[in-house]
Amino acid sequence: MTAVDGRPVGGSSPPYSFTVEEWHVMLEAGVFGADARVELIDGTVMDLDEVGPDHAATVQALAVLLRQAAEPRAVVAIECPVVLDDHSEPLPDLVVVGPTPGDSPLAPADLLLLVEVSSSPSLDYDLHQKAPLYARAGVRDYWVTDLEARTVTVMRSPSPSGYRDRTTHRGGPLAIVGLDGAPIAVEAVFS
Amino acid sequence: MAVRHAFTVDEWHCMGEAGLFGDCARVELLDGEVRQMSPIGSLHVFVVNRLTYLLVTRVGLRGVVSVQNPVVLNERSEPEPDVAVLAESRPDVLANPDETFLLVEVSHSSLDYDVGWKAPYYARTGIRECWVVDVVARTVTVMRDPSPDGYRRQQVLGPGDVLSIEALDGIAVAVEEVFGE
């Protein structure tokens, strides 16, 4: 059995799987430098994509819309790390967090919503690699915003084997499942 | 899209200084990836000790025999081969491929990995000679003439054969000696 790049996987010399604890030591020690955009996924350190202007603008637009819908009962955070399990601490584009966050890192139970803003080739990664990870960790509402198709895919009802509900929206209102506030309009995300 | 972060040797050293992996974890940096090394069994230890004795006595003052120590292959690789024969050892810098005469990996359960992936990687970085010692079959695969595609010459030596180091004239080690016979 070989990985994509031809090297054997597993076997006698498997890749080292970092724990979140080790990850924090690395970040505090400044291993990656101030400008690095990295996250820990399943024990592997991943480099995040460069953020293009479309991506940055959409993150900001979403932040405004989500704040209008969520505040003051919840807060919206951009690129805030979330400890999913012992080996994963991603840096999602946006999270909506209930009123309890303190000094400790965010955990899935703190999240009302997690949003990734995406375009190919990351779209596949966000829809099919990250979704099972977020579902396993119990993230209750996960949205993937597709910059090219101008759609939002909403995933809900997390289970150990993935999200049970997945719908893709080109328009119309979207509500944050844990908040009974005003929905946001999908069209407004891309306007 | 998001890709696996390829660690540099500088990042690797920073991780070590920060106390990651503890004192006992056996890990090495290869092609930007932190990889766990196989646990060392008694037979592995025995063969490494045999090789150390044989190479120290035969190489003498013509080189330095460095045992289970790091070698910097490039900016993203710092493996710890079982034995390295180096031109010199300096207090301020780790060995590099130019001053490495030979790397030896002693293999028990990791033969496919060592011969099939690790040795070709050593070849790509310009390590001029690599031996993979198979402690189960009691053979030594000698690989020379590195290229970007791997070693161009590869020979499996067994009982009755004699090992030599291409970069150092006149060194002879019988394969049996490696296994304590």
Side-chain angles (χ1 to χ4, degrees):
Chain A
M1 186 179 177
T2 55
V4 177
D5 57 1
R7 87 188 69 189
V9 295
S12 58
S13 193
Y16 187 81
S17 179
F18 292 97
T19 65
V20 163
E21 198 176 332
E22 289 169 329
W23 176 241
H24 291 167
V25 171
M26 288 158 79
L27 295 176
E28 279 163 28
V31 166
F32 301 105
D35 298 334
R37 299 183 67 251
V38 285
E39 61 184 4
L40 184 69
I41 301 293
D42 273 338
T44 299
V45 179
M46 303 294 285
D47 288 331
L48 292 168
D49 295 333
E50 295 292 319
V51 175
D54 274 7
H55 185 281
T58 303
V59 169
Q60 293 303 330
L62 266 165
V64 169
L65 294 167
L66 290 170
R67 283 189 178 118
Q68 287 168 354
E71 288 179 345
R73 290 168 298 160
V75 296
V76 177
I78 296 174
E79 288 202 354
C80 187
V82 179
V83 176
L84 290 187
D85 55 41
D86 289 344
H87 291 269
S88 295
E89 186 174 316
L91 204 60
D93 286 315
L94 294 141
V95 289
V96 179
V97 185
T100 53
D103 290 339
S104 54
L106 290 180
D110 299 322
L111 306 185
L112 298 169
L113 172 66
L114 187 155
V115 186
E116 297 283 13
V117 175
S118 197
S119 53
S120 62
S122 293
L123 188 67
D124 189 63
Y125 181 73
D126 288 333
L127 286 174
H128 301 295
Q129 304 288 123
K130 277 194 163 169
L133 189 72
Y134 290 144
R136 269 204 311 279
V139 175
R140 61 192 99 172
D141 203 356
Y142 173 41
W143 298 0
V144 175
T145 304
D146 181 342
L147 291 174
E148 284 147 1
R150 299 169 79 87
T151 58
V152 179
T153 297
V154 174
M155 285 162 267
R156 288 174 180 163
S157 302
S159 80
S161 55
Y163 283 101
R164 292 201 187 93
D165 298 335
R166 178 186 295 228
T167 51
T168 297
H169 303 260
R170 296 190 178 281
L174 276 182
I176 301 170
V177 75
L179 288 176
D180 51 3
I184 69 166
V186 172
E187 296 86 343
V189 174
F190 302 104
S191 62
Chain B
M1 65 179 274
V3 292
R4 178 177 62 82
H5 179 74
F7 289 100
T8 65
V9 166
D10 285 345
E11 290 171 339
W12 175 242
H13 290 172
C14 186
M15 288 155 76
E17 283 159 21
L20 279 166
F21 312 123
D23 294 332
C24 299
R26 284 177 33 84
V27 287
E28 61 185 357
L29 182 69
L30 209 55
D31 200 22
E33 188 164 37
V34 179
R35 298 192 76 105
Q36 300 176 57
M37 296 156 72
S38 313
I40 294 183
S42 59
L43 183 54
H44 188 124
V45 171
F46 175 79
V47 169
V48 170
N49 288 341
R50 286 294 303 166
L51 276 165
T52 305
Y53 165 75
L54 293 164
L55 289 169
V56 166
T57 52
R58 311 275 156 97
V59 171
L61 297 175
R62 299 164 66 199
V64 174
V65 178
S66 185
V67 181
Q68 289 170 345
N69 284 321
V71 174
V72 175
L73 297 184
N74 56 37
E75 66 173 16
R76 296 191 190 278
S77 295
E78 187 179 310
E80 293 186 14
D82 284 307
V83 183
V85 180
L86 311 171
E88 60 178 335
S89 180
R90 286 167 287 164
D92 54 341
V93 64
L94 290 166
N96 64 57
D98 287 346
E99 53 202 16
T100 302
F101 297 138
L102 169 70
L103 292 186
V104 186
E105 292 288 359
V106 175
S107 191
H108 183 259
S109 56
S110 58
L111 192 71
D112 289 348
Y113 175 73
D114 289 335
V115 172
W117 195 82
K118 207 169 190 185
Y121 187 77
Y122 287 165
R124 286 209 294 282
T125 67
I127 294 290
R128 59 189 95 176
E129 182 164 350
C130 174
W131 299 354
V132 176
V133 179
D134 182 344
V135 299
V136 178
R138 299 167 86 86
T139 59
V140 181
T141 302
V142 174
M143 287 166 272
R144 290 170 177 167
D145 202 357
S147 81
D149 299 323
Y151 287 99
R152 292 200 185 93
R153 286 181 287 146
Q154 183 165 326
Q155 194 177 12
V156 180
L157 301 184
D161 294 326
V162 176
L163 295 155
S164 60
I165 301 174
E166 198 162 56
L168 294 171
D169 287 340
I171 287 172
V173 175
V175 171
E176 289 91 332
E177 291 181 282
V178 174
F179 300 104
E181 292 161 6

